[in-house]
Amino acid sequence: MKRYILLALSVCQSLVVLAAEAPRKSTDANLFGHVVDRETHEHLPYATVAVTGTAFGTTTDASGHYFLKNLPEGALTLEVRALGYASQTQQVTLRRGQTAELNFEVVQSGISMDEVVVSASRSARLRREAPALVSVLDAGLFEKTNASCLAQGLSFQPGVRVEDDCQNCGFTQVRINGLDGHYSQILVDSHPVFSALTGVYGLEQIPANMIERVEVLRGGGSALYGSSAIGGTINVITKEPSRNSAQLAHTLTSLGGSNSYDNNTMLNASLVTESGRAGLCVFAQNRHRSGYDHDGDGFTEIPVLQSISAGLRSFLRTGSYSRLTMQYNGVQEYVNSTTGLKFVVGHPVHEYFLNRYAGVNPANGDALWYTKDGELTTEFNEGDKVMTGKTFDAPWAGGFGTTFAWKGLSLSAQFSWMADRWVMNNDRFFEESNGLYSTYNQSRRLLYDRWKKPGDITDIPRYGVTAQLDDRFLENSSFLRLKNLTLAYALPQPLLKKTNFFTSARVYLQGQNLLTFTGFTGLDPEMSSNIYRAQYPASRQFTLGIEVSF
């Protein structure tokens, strides 16, 4: 049986942040109050209280009370959110040195349309205002169903099917809209830190106790996340520190009523400074699952699983309207080499394990390779494979955006990028096969640049020397992409007031995936598989819309 050891670190900032809070200008404008159920008048613990448009926020304590200090002066809008309740907003005006009280009475709601989601448009929006349907699984569902990993929680999402497809290798895959797992993009905090194979092999490697909520986006809207999201997108939003707390839990589950057990120990702890400027959240999980053989044929229907996961997440509020968040994600496993990859302790995750191509002998057109000792050879030998130092997981990835506004006209742009990310271009293997796959389309480069006579300097050998899957087909898939461009015009308020009906009106034109800058020769550098096989590229989309409120 395969054994998987997962060490998943989610580090948003150094622990030094908690110990080194720089002094800042104090307004001594404070706000306190409580949050209660309107029907029962019971205080609601751990409800979220945030000052909209700023980086200030907190949660109510165990008694349902909150306290915010050193808030900005002027008119502020506060919003309260609690699980199972409709959100509520109130306005208050604060002056320097003033302490005010603001209480909330919230109403229970069975329909959660006021949740804030980020998966539909890569920006925070109310679920009911999102341009695409987003389904949300919160931490409460994972707890009620005793789910220990992402795979077990996703089973309760309509339209998403989690299935065990192999009793020998034991992989679990998720199907969205009926498509296989590698057509679904798995994101962590809106970033594709794992390949598309996470939808096949990685679902049990994401522990439930690190999850704040899971957003599932099905259908065409998932095209915003690239060609690997044809089926849909699963965005795992990790927990963020909001209050001082600690939790330790252990569960023991019998498999099929047998003597095979699933042992799971979880630890969660969070620490927030008194000022609320910085916070740290720690999670850890140790899970051991014994193999389960249902029919006694010597093959396990549920394989052995040994996993250890740990992670950190923290934040630093640098000002009233800004907050610094930094993330690092990593996976370390020990498995056998497959599809050009090998997982070795001490090496980057998803590092390629391949033969090194040395070019073509200009005298006779034969292909050349390096042995594992660095010597030239004309023999392709599997034993000469080495760790290449090139990995599929981009060490550098990010995004940036900007908005220009003048009166009612606004122009916003969102960019995403990845650097030093390598992909095996399998299309070139077929297109430059040199006779091995002659019934397939052959590239112009093969026809024009192939070795033809002694003295030719090229990297394509003579006809008849067929291609091998070596590092010549590794390509740098770094890219910069214009993900979203929106031009909008909001009608002026004096004009709307004359209607005595409309409160706001906005016309916008939006384009997605308009420009891509890359040196990758395939159709799309943003695929989430380590081997490129003519995947459909991210579609270019245009949307013309009108938004009115009354």
Side-chain angles (χ1 to χ4, degrees), residues 409-426:
L409 195 65
S410 65
L411 178 66
S412 63
Q414 301 292 330
F415 292 84
S416 65
W417 60 272
M418 285 189 179
D420 199 24
R421 178 174 182 259
W422 295 82
V423 171
M424 178 68 72
N425 193 334
N426 197 63

Side-chain angles (χ1 to χ4, degrees), residues 233-252:
T233 300
I234 298 173
N235 192 4
V236 179
I237 308 299
T238 58
K239 291 183 177 179
E240 185 169 293
S242 58
R243 59 186 176 89
N244 297 333
S245 65
Q247 182 184 24
L248 178 65
H250 179 81
T251 59
L252 179 64

Side-chain angles (χ1 to χ4, degrees), residues 357 359-362 365 428 431-432 434 442-453 455-463 472 521:
Y357 187 61
V360 175
N361 186 337
R428 283 184 51 205
E431 294 167 356
E432 300 174 15
N434 230 352
Q442 301 296 284
S443 67
R444 292 182 58 187
R445 180 174 178 271
L446 170 69
L447 299 178
Y448 286 99
D449 296 343
R450 181 174 55 205
W451 187 94
K452 301 180 181 66
K453 64 183 184 302
D456 284 350
I457 305 300
T458 181
D459 62 342
I460 302 179
R462 58 180 170 81
Y463 182 80
R472 86 182 88 170
T521 61

